[in-house]
Amino acid sequence: MWAKIARLIIRYRIAIIIALLCFTSVMLYQATGVRLMYGLPQMLPEDSQTIIDWRSFQDQFKEESTVFAIGIEKDLFHDVDVFNEWYKLGRSITKVEGIDTVLSIGSAFNIVKDTTIKKFVIDPLVKGPVKNQVELDLLRSRYESLPFYEGLLYNPDNNFSLMAISMSNDRFNSTDRTEFFGEVLGMVESFEQENNVKIRYSGMPYIRENLSSLVKKELGTLLLLTVIITIIILLVFFRSIKPVLISMTVVCLGVIWSLGLLNTLGFEITILTSLISPLVIVIGIPNCIYLINKFHSELNLHGNRAKALTRVVSRIGSATFMTNATTATGFLTFVFTESILLVEFGIVAFFSIMSLFVLSILVITITYSFLPVPEEDSKAHLEKRWVVNLVSFFTRLVKTRRPLVYTVTIMVVVTSLFGMIQIQTTGNIVDDLPKNHKTVEDLHWFEQNFGGVVPFEIKVDAKKPKQITKSSILKNIEETQDLFKDDPSFSKSISIVDALKFIKQAFYNGNPDRYELITSREKAFFGDYVDNSSTDQNLLTAYLDSTEQYARISLQVADIGTLEMDSLLAFYSPKIDAIFNPKRTKQDSLISIVEKGLNSAVSDSIARYILKRNAPAKRIFSNLYLEGDSTGKVDFDSVLFANNERSIGLLREALDEAYIGVSITGPSITFLEGTNYLVKNLFVSLSLAILIVALLMAFVFSSLRMIVISVVTNLIPLLFTAAVMGYFGINIKPSTILVFSIAFGISVDDTIHYLAKYRQELRFTNNDIGLSVQLALKETGVSMVYTSIILFFGFGVFAYSDFGGTQALGILVSLTLMVAMFANLILLPSFLMSFEKAMLTRWFKEPFLTLLDEEEDIELDDLDFDQEENPTL
């Protein structure tokens, strides 16, 4: 088959060139339209309960804006000039298109009671620039008399202040975000310089903008560095510009195709998809090295260019296809995670890598068909002394020092297993940024002075409209807020309770002692004032949905690791539930007795006791029992609960519906769940990658024993890398777990090339295992060393990234692939030599699929490319 493909490529090379140019032009046009992702990357699948809860929360509370915070290291209440400039800054920012509101001590407001029209109205604390310190002191006194603002905009411990800027998501998540954000930052930076003060920036919008800017910057930087380092290494290896230009043409076309595919599929550039272009270069170069080395080695044998090109395609075309397929499979398994972020990355990476196979076969074959026969100097790289000596050293180890090889291998495995168990799984939102990055430093500043900046929302569901403002539920909300008061990981909480307290204080003419919940007796007095307040002035609407069934408690949490966040949730979740549903624990214990059904009479009486003490649950149970028939009536005396699965199930369902619903959501929770989800599923994807690669190798080699030693050989480098992560404190997180799937898919390539050549040599040497192992090492060793060095330095370029995860990815993959090279050149041949006849099964000698063509060559000695523009083979 591959010989026919070779003939077709050469015969129709002009048409293929035209087709390549046309397709590349289309992909180049598509690539110009590729866009950065401006929203938060979604790590969880759409049907995840965490995502459903967050979307529901946003819909219920009309969460359509994003808050950007700036902090000032200055006591504004003791500097009239700076305070006035701060006030003017807030007003200027408010005028920027896309800004919803600006809240600071310069724009703080009071609520006052207008007895004439029985209405609460907003009264700005600052109506214009203050004139002197006396006026500023009076302002401070008024501000501090409003408990609503305590710990919110001003920290009295160090006199620092913050400004919360609420931005429209429509503008912030658009293509002109950088311009929009730059306009706001420009105003703040001018204020900072003119007043000689220190400004701190944070909030999810600021973090996202910085991450997006870094992704955009790194896309070009890493791509350029990868190209430069690849060219340098290729020049050192080949000592000729032609192979370098041909190889770079292949990978550059691959980059264009990958970017074009990204836009064609409607995907955007994320922190992961930005890595695809450098990956295409790094992974594409080994294809070129194998093919060009084979072309040059064939020319050394017979000097016929046409025959050499045909043998390049026919003899190693299938092997090259399989190596690309195994590498691409390592990426494709990410689609099984169902995470949009990883699914997009996996799909584009898979097709990009498979397209590299097509490009390398076509471009190299066609280009060399036009070029003159390479001179002897251009083939000198095949006999480089250091490479030949290194391969010879490997051969001697395999022949004479196999016990040493196995001893070292066992030591590595044992040490690796010990290191692997020390790995921890954790992650932070800014975990991949350098520790000294301004974004990280400013984030820590806000955490120390104002609590966290990552939204942490608690949603309360009263289960029925108009019920959330019941005194009992409001007291529960207040008690829940008190839980978080002394926790330094959280900012001050805000809820409908604070809004009602603020309103009550206003009703009593601003008396701070009246900042407390409205009692049942007072509600009648407040009703007219609240009803007459306009919607945009009503504090309640921000923390209460339109049906008055749901309320929110808003906090900001520090960017703590996922382990710490898990601990916080484990600590607070049961406490919050116990506040709203104090009977749950007792009733659950009683139901467990009913479910056991040890005594029918006791079980029935307990079940009826539960329903008797819980009227809402009794009503819901009746409705469920009658299957929605509201006209019927349940005779509870006749209902059997003991050993009756339906009745017990309905009882549990009724109680669950009767309980006040409490759920914790927000970006802090989606990130936590996303990290845990990815880590769990990426291990699944790695297992799938190993399984699929094993199946592919089974299809090729048809020998279970050969598959086992191949997989074992390539798992050892992964164990070694896991040990490095454990010993050096590199945590498992979404950006580092990618290492294993990527490295495994690439490292198996060398195994396939070596085993394919080994099987071919067996036929030529009449099944002489020792000689076949040595000949296979000699032929494939040079290319394996070259490609491993290319991959080592290519992935090593990622170490220059500003993202910690990308740095770790590059370093760890480079390390894994280098260890994999030694494993495939030393350990794998040692296995073959040691097991000898056990490896030599009939199926391995007579494969279902031949990777290296061992048939007689078509004689092409009379073919002359220089005389025939379109030669016929």
Side-chain angles (χ1 to χ4, degrees):
M1 179 185 76
W2 291 99
K4 293 179 181 179
I5 291 174
R7 293 196 297 271
L8 289 173
I9 292 173
I10 296 174
R11 178 178 298 168
Y12 298 108
R13 53 185 177 164
I14 299 298
I16 292 173
I17 291 174
I18 294 173
L20 283 176
L21 289 174
C22 292
F23 186 75
T24 302
S25 299
V26 174
M27 287 292 100
L28 183 61
Y29 173 77
Q30 287 291 332
T32 58
V34 71
R35 301 192 314 164
L36 281 171
M37 173 178 279
Y38 291 103
L40 281 173
Q42 185 174 317
M43 296 185 286
L44 290 167
E46 284 292 338
D47 59 354
S48 164
Q49 189 60 48
T50 302
I51 290 296
I52 293 171
D53 288 345
W54 176 234
R55 297 270 168 80
S56 172
F57 175 88
Q58 291 175 306
D59 290 339
Q60 287 163 350
F61 295 101
K62 309 302 179 185
E63 192 75 2
E64 298 176 350
S65 60
T66 312
V67 178
F68 164 48
I70 60 174
I72 179 172
E73 296 183 358
K74 180 77 174 180
D75 186 356
L76 295 176
F77 286 122
H78 285 86
D79 193 317
V80 174
D81 293 334
V82 176
F83 179 88
N84 286 333
E85 292 300 319
W86 184 255
Y87 165 74
K88 292 177 183 176
L89 174 65
R91 291 179 63 85
S92 299
I93 293 175
T94 306
K95 297 176 183 177
V96 176
E97 182 183 355
I99 299 296
D100 290 340
T101 57
V102 175
L103 184 61
S104 72
I105 58 175
S107 60
F109 59 86
N110 190 12
I111 300 177
V112 296
K113 177 178 64 173
D114 188 329
T115 56
T116 305
I117 57 175
K118 288 191 175 183
K119 182 178 180 180
F120 289 120
V121 295
I122 297 296
D123 179 32
L125 293 182
V126 185
K127 298 179 173 58
V130 297
K131 299 175 182 178
N132 49 50
Q133 187 61 46
V134 174
E135 190 173 330
L136 190 56
D137 290 341
L138 179 60
L139 172 63
R140 178 174 185 169
S141 177
R142 292 182 62 199
Y143 177 84
E144 292 178 344
S145 70
L146 300 174
F148 179 83
Y149 293 110
E150 183 179 349
L152 190 63
L153 303 173
Y154 176 72
N155 187 338
D157 295 334
N158 49 35
N159 301 316
F160 295 159
S161 301
L162 69 78
M163 180 183 293
I165 304 168
S166 182
M167 298 179 287
S168 166
N169 274 342
D170 290 339
R171 182 81 193 276
F172 183 74
N173 291 331
S174 65
T175 54
D176 64 341
R177 178 169 85 180
T178 301
E179 178 183 350
F180 160 61
F181 211 74
E183 185 178 357
V184 176
L185 287 178
M187 294 179 180
V188 180
E189 288 168 359
S190 296
F191 167 84
E192 181 179 20
Q193 294 171 4
E194 292 171 2
N195 294 277
N196 193 27
V197 293
K198 179 70 173 178
I199 295 293
R200 301 285 188 169
Y201 306 87
S202 198
M204 291 303 294
Y206 181 73
I207 294 171
R208 286 164 55 189
E209 172 62 17
N210 274 276
L211 289 175
S212 296
S213 298
L214 282 174
V215 168
K216 185 177 181 180
K217 172 188 171 186
E218 291 210 337
L219 178 61
T221 302
L222 290 180
L223 193 59
L224 180 61
L225 285 174
T226 306
V227 169
I228 292 173
I229 196 71
T230 304
I231 290 175
I232 292 173
I233 296 175
L234 288 175
L235 282 173
V236 170
F237 284 167
F238 289 115
R239 297 293 178 89
S240 172
I241 193 65
K242 291 179 182 177
V244 176
L245 292 177
I246 293 171
S247 301
M248 295 312 299
T249 298
V250 170
V251 295
C252 286
L253 290 176
V255 169
I256 293 172
W257 287 19
S258 66
L259 291 174
L261 178 64
L262 197 66
N263 189 50
T264 301
L265 294 176
F267 300 160
E268 296 174 315
I269 296 177
T270 65
I271 190 172
L272 288 184
T273 53
S274 67
L275 299 176
I276 290 178
S277 295
L279 283 173
V280 164
I281 295 176
V282 174
I283 295 173
I285 291 298
N287 279 1
C288 301
I289 290 177
Y290 273 110
L291 294 172
I292 292 173
N293 277 355
K294 181 63 177 176
F295 174 63
H296 287 161
S297 64
E298 287 292 332
L299 284 179
N300 281 344
L301 290 176
H302 48 72
N304 187 300
R305 180 167 44 131
K307 182 186 289 187
L309 288 175
T310 304
R311 285 184 173 180
V312 166
V313 179
S314 62
R315 288 202 164 184
I316 64 172
S318 182
T320 305
F321 173 79
M322 285 303 302
T323 57
N324 281 261
T326 55
T327 301
T329 298
F331 291 95
L332 187 62
T333 54
F334 294 147
V335 302
F336 295 103
T337 65
E338 297 184 18
S339 165
I340 295 176
L341 186 69
L342 279 173
V343 167
E344 292 180 357
F345 174 71
I347 291 173
V348 177
F350 173 81
F351 285 108
S352 297
I353 293 169
M354 293 310 299
S355 69
L356 283 172
F357 165 74
V358 176
L359 285 169
S360 56
I361 290 289
L362 294 179
V363 172
I364 290 174
T365 304
I366 292 173
T367 303
Y368 275 116
S369 73
F370 284 106
L371 293 176
V373 176
E375 299 178 0
E376 290 299 320
D377 292 344
S378 65
K379 294 176 280 184
H381 63 279
L382 296 174
E383 301 296 332
K384 282 186 182 292
R385 180 172 298 179
W386 71 270
V387 178
V388 174
N389 290 341
L390 182 62
V391 174
S392 298
F393 172 70
F394 293 156
T395 304
R396 289 196 300 273
L397 282 178
V398 171
K399 286 176 61 180
T400 63
R401 306 299 296 273
R402 288 196 298 278
L404 175 63
V405 171
Y406 297 141
T407 301
V408 172
T409 300
I410 292 172
M411 291 174 61
V412 169
V413 170
V414 172
T415 306
S416 298
L417 290 173
F418 182 74
M420 186 174 65
I421 62 177
Q422 300 183 49
I423 299 178
Q424 290 188 335
T425 301
T426 188
N428 303 73
I429 290 177
V430 296
D431 198 29
D432 286 334
L433 290 175
K435 300 302 180 185
N436 60 349
H437 195 279
K438 188 178 186 305
T439 302
V440 179
E441 292 179 349
D442 287 359
L443 175 63
H444 292 330
W445 183 89
F446 273 92
E447 290 173 350
Q448 292 168 5
N449 294 286
F450 295 97
V453 298
V454 184
F456 183 96
E457 302 281 355
I458 302 172
K459 186 177 76 171
V460 181
D461 179 5
K463 296 298 177 75
K464 290 180 66 178
K466 304 294 183 181
Q467 295 297 303
I468 202 71
T469 54
K470 288 175 60 177
S471 297
S472 59
I473 295 181
L474 292 176
K475 288 179 181 178
N476 291 338
I477 292 175
E478 183 180 36
E479 188 178 347
T480 300
Q481 289 183 260
D482 290 339
L483 278 178
F484 296 91
K485 270 188 178 180
D486 298 322
D487 193 329
S489 297
F490 291 92
S491 67
K492 178 184 177 180
S493 62
I494 300 291
S495 74
I496 181 180
V497 168
D498 298 281
L500 290 172
K501 287 179 178 180
F502 202 168
I503 290 172
K504 180 173 179 178
Q505 182 183 0
F507 186 81
Y508 288 101
N509 302 316
N511 183 356
D513 294 334
R514 291 292 191 169
Y515 186 77
E516 57 190 9
L517 272 175
I518 301 171
T519 65
S520 300
R521 292 175 56 189
E522 293 171 322
K523 284 185 178 181
F525 301 106
F526 288 83
D528 291 340
Y529 285 90
V530 173
D531 293 339
N532 292 334
S533 298
S534 58
T535 304
D536 62 339
Q537 293 178 340
N538 195 346
L539 277 176
L540 304 181
T541 58
Y543 304 101
L544 189 69
D545 84 311
S546 58
T547 66
E548 295 186 20
Q549 176 177 331
Y550 302 96
R552 65 189 285 193
I553 304 172
S554 295
L555 305 94
Q556 282 75 44
V557 65
D559 184 29
I560 55 180
T562 52
L563 287 176
E564 292 85 348
M565 181 63 76
D566 268 329
S567 298
L568 281 179
L569 290 178
F571 176 78
Y572 282 112
S573 294
K575 288 183 176 294
I576 295 172
D577 186 70
I579 290 172
F580 285 95
N581 302 296
K583 297 180 180 179
R584 187 195 293 269
T585 303
K586 179 180 179 180
Q587 290 180 342
D588 282 350
S589 65
L590 292 174
I591 289 180
S592 66
I593 297 175
V594 176
E595 289 176 329
K596 292 176 183 178
L598 300 177
N599 185 305
S600 299
V602 172
S603 296
D604 278 348
S605 63
I606 289 176
R608 294 187 180 92
Y609 169 80
I610 293 173
L611 292 175
K612 183 179 181 181
R613 298 297 298 270
N614 195 325
K618 185 175 183 180
R619 183 181 62 254
I620 296 169
F621 178 88
S622 298
N623 189 48
L624 293 172
Y625 192 84
L626 296 171
E627 297 181 343
D629 183 7
S630 59
T631 61
K633 187 176 180 180
V634 177
D635 180 8
F636 283 95
D637 292 332
S638 64
V639 177
L640 296 178
F641 289 95
N643 303 314
N644 188 319
E645 292 184 6
R646 179 175 183 267
S647 296
I648 295 175
L650 294 179
L651 176 60
R652 275 199 173 276
E653 187 177 347
L655 285 173
D656 287 338
E657 287 192 31
Y659 291 138
I660 299 297
V662 181
S663 60
I664 302 176
T665 186
S668 54
I669 306 303
T670 58
F671 179 80
L672 164 69
E673 295 299 329
T675 299
N676 292 337
Y677 178 86
L678 286 187
V679 169
K680 180 182 71 175
N681 283 275
L682 283 169
F683 276 117
V684 173
S685 74
L686 175 60
S687 302
L688 285 172
I690 294 171
L691 176 62
I692 294 173
V693 167
L695 291 175
L696 287 173
M697 295 182 73
F699 181 72
V700 173
F701 295 118
S702 303
S703 170
L704 179 60
R705 297 167 187 172
M706 199 64 68
I707 294 166
V708 170
I709 68 166
S710 300
V711 172
V712 169
T713 299
N714 287 283
L715 284 180
I716 290 175
L718 301 187
L719 285 176
F720 182 84
T721 301
V724 171
M725 295 176 69
Y727 287 126
F728 289 91
I730 302 174
N731 296 324
I732 289 286
K733 51 187 176 181
S735 54
T736 55
I737 192 68
L738 296 175
V739 170
F740 301 103
S741 295
I742 293 173
F744 182 79
I746 297 175
S747 64
V748 166
D749 294 356
D750 285 343
T751 304
I752 292 175
H753 274 293
Y754 180 80
L755 289 180
K757 184 61 183 174
Y758 166 68
R759 186 172 62 192
Q760 185 187 50
E761 295 297 341
L762 282 174
R763 179 164 296 189
F764 293 155
T765 61
N766 195 25
N767 295 333
D768 186 329
I769 293 177
L771 181 58
S772 298
V773 166
Q774 295 175 53
L775 292 174
L777 264 179
K778 182 178 180 181
E779 170 124 358
T780 61
V782 173
S783 293
M784 288 166 71
V785 170
Y786 282 178
T787 56
S788 295
I789 293 175
I790 287 281
L791 290 168
F792 178 84
F793 286 102
F795 279 102
V797 167
F798 291 175
Y800 290 94
S801 169
D802 287 327
F803 290 107
T806 306
Q807 291 175 353
L809 176 68
I811 294 171
L812 292 173
V813 171
S814 296
L815 180 64
T816 307
L817 294 178
M818 190 54 64
V819 175
M821 180 194 75
F822 289 110
N824 282 298
L825 287 176
I826 300 175
L827 184 60
L828 179 59
S830 296
F831 282 148
L832 297 176
M833 291 281 283
S834 295
F835 295 117
E836 294 188 357
K837 299 299 182 181
M839 292 291 104
L840 209 58
T841 64
R842 179 174 67 88
W843 294 110
F844 182 72
K845 291 185 290 183
E846 300 174 9
F848 178 78
L849 178 66
T850 301
L851 285 188
L852 295 182
D853 190 359
E854 298 151 1
E855 299 177 359
E856 292 296 324
D857 293 313
I858 300 173
E859 294 300 329
L860 304 172
D861 297 315
D862 298 330
L863 183 62
D864 186 349
F865 281 108
D866 297 326
Q867 294 179 8
E868 296 188 39
E869 182 179 353
N870 291 294
T872 301
L873 302 185

